[in-house]
Amino acid sequence: MRSMWKGSVSFGLVTIPVNLYTATENKSVSLRQVHEADGARIQYKRYCSAEGKEVPYAEIAKGYELPDGGMVVLTDADFAELPLPTSRAIDVLEFVPLEAIDPIYYDSTYYIEPQKAAAKPYVLLRDALHKSGQVAIAKVALRQRESLAILRVHSDLLVMTTMLWPDEVRTPEFGFLDEDVPQIRPQELTMAGSLIDSMSEPVFEHGKYQDSYREALEALIGAKASGNETTAPPEAPGKAEVVDLMSALQASVSAAKETRKPAKRKAPAKAKTGEDAAKTDAAVKKRRSKTA
């Protein structure tokens, strides 16, 4: 893997030089915009609306549009002058239980690797963090943006997950939240609990799930690339509409139990006794004498 950031983890008065690597990758099939008639790629040009000409990438800066339509131009030099002490440091601020953080705030995840000669303080922080059962809350600046982040242990590595700021999570505004709460009968709640129990597993096995859409899209592309005709998969049978909630829950519990029922194991063969073995040998000798 290629490092995308170099800096240090600041843990009290301890500084740990580290490299940062993107921990995830998007496996979606990459598609380009093309002209349907001939398959030629659609291209976009960087065009200056004032001068009416194409602009080279080296002359492109960033701009912030004002309410009156004016534009504030920001160059790389402007960004370099911003007071960001976390631009080369992951600054640990405090420690909290992981369950105290709502996953809605999670953004991107990165692997943290110690630089040369920094293995000992790295392992010290890793093991102490693991033993505490907590995660570290830190600040870091990546790609001209400062974020909150959590540091935790995963597969013997320190892992950093950047977080959204509180004002970046939208406030839900839905009409039904202001309406009277529907009355749920106790037996409906009990049956819903039974459905959860029947679909529960002791651990989450990520590997047993597949991206069916991506597999189908790759098969379609492969078929078209080889000149074969493609056929649409059969439509899944539609689900019958169930008006009664209790009936729907009962049917769901029954279906879940049926689909998750373990396969029946064959009974192990009985060990032959001495008497059984003698009978078998006698039968074999009898058949041989007949065929002789």
Side-chain angles (χ1 to χ4, degrees):
M1 290 189 290
R2 185 177 178 181
S3 172
M4 50 79 63
W5 184 90
K6 292 185 178 182
S8 61
V9 175
S10 177
F11 171 44
L13 297 178
V14 178
T15 299
I16 310 170
V18 297
N19 300 327
L20 212 60
Y21 300 82
T22 303
T24 60
E25 59 181 329
N26 191 332
K27 288 286 188 176
S28 298
V29 178
S30 179
L31 301 175
R32 301 188 181 278
Q33 288 188 328
V34 298
H35 186 196
E36 185 178 359
D38 52 24
R41 287 179 55 180
I42 302 297
Q43 296 183 345
Y44 294 91
K45 295 183 178 181
R46 301 177 182 90
Y47 183 82
C48 177
S49 58
E51 298 182 3
K53 66 178 184 180
E54 191 173 353
V55 180
Y57 185 79
E59 296 180 12
I60 294 178
K62 291 181 171 62
Y64 179 84
E65 187 171 1
L66 300 172
D68 61 1
M71 194 71 67
V72 177
V73 178
L74 299 170
T75 65
D76 290 341
D78 294 325
F79 286 109
E81 292 176 359
L82 287 175
L84 271 181
T86 55
S87 61
R88 283 289 166 229
I90 301 170
D91 188 16
V92 175
L93 307 174
E94 61 181 359
F95 297 88
V96 300
L98 179 61
E99 57 270 20
I101 305 170
D102 195 306
I104 197 172
Y105 293 106
Y106 293 171
D107 191 9
S108 300
T109 300
Y110 303 88
Y111 291 136
I112 302 176
E113 175 200 38
Q115 291 182 15
K116 193 173 182 179
K120 184 173 181 178
Y122 178 96
V123 171
L124 173 64
L125 175 58
R126 182 198 68 185
D127 292 354
L129 195 58
H130 179 69
K131 184 177 180 180
S132 73
Q134 301 196 90
V135 297
I137 301 296
K139 263 189 176 184
V140 63
L142 297 174
R143 300 188 178 98
Q144 299 173 342
R145 166 187 167 87
E146 189 175 57
S147 299
L148 278 178
I150 62 171
L151 301 186
R152 59 189 177 87
V153 180
H154 174 75
S155 299
D156 291 335
L157 275 177
L158 284 174
V159 172
M160 182 182 78
T161 300
T162 55
M163 298 169 60
L164 301 172
W165 295 102
D167 59 357
E168 292 180 310
V169 177
R170 295 176 176 174
T171 301
E173 297 177 354
F174 303 107
F176 86 96
L177 295 174
D178 301 323
E179 299 171 357
D180 294 337
V181 179
Q183 295 301 309
I184 303 298
R185 293 183 295 165
Q187 53 267 45
E188 291 172 338
L189 190 59
T190 300
M191 188 58 67
S194 298
L195 177 57
I196 292 174
D197 290 341
S198 64
M199 297 178 67
S200 296
E201 295 290 351
V203 294
F204 172 57
E205 298 179 21
H206 208 161
K208 71 179 181 182
Y209 299 99
Q210 290 84 33
D211 186 347
S212 302
Y213 178 83
R214 174 160 60 98
E215 291 175 355
L217 181 56
E218 288 174 344
L220 173 64
I221 292 171
K224 284 206 165 191
S226 59
N228 297 329
E229 292 186 6
T230 59
T231 57
E235 291 187 9
K239 294 183 179 179
E241 184 177 354
V242 182
V243 179
D244 180 28
L245 180 59
M246 194 66 180
S247 299
L249 288 169
Q250 289 175 334
S252 299
V253 170
S254 299
K257 288 181 177 179
E258 187 64 29
T259 56
R260 301 168 78 85
K261 188 184 299 181
K264 291 183 179 179
R265 295 182 179 178
K266 292 183 180 179
K270 284 185 176 181
K272 290 184 178 181
T273 62
E275 186 179 349
D276 291 334
K279 289 180 180 178
T280 301
D281 291 341
V284 171
K285 289 178 180 178
K286 188 175 181 180
R287 284 199 300 272
R288 286 176 178 173
S289 62
K290 285 183 179 180
T291 56

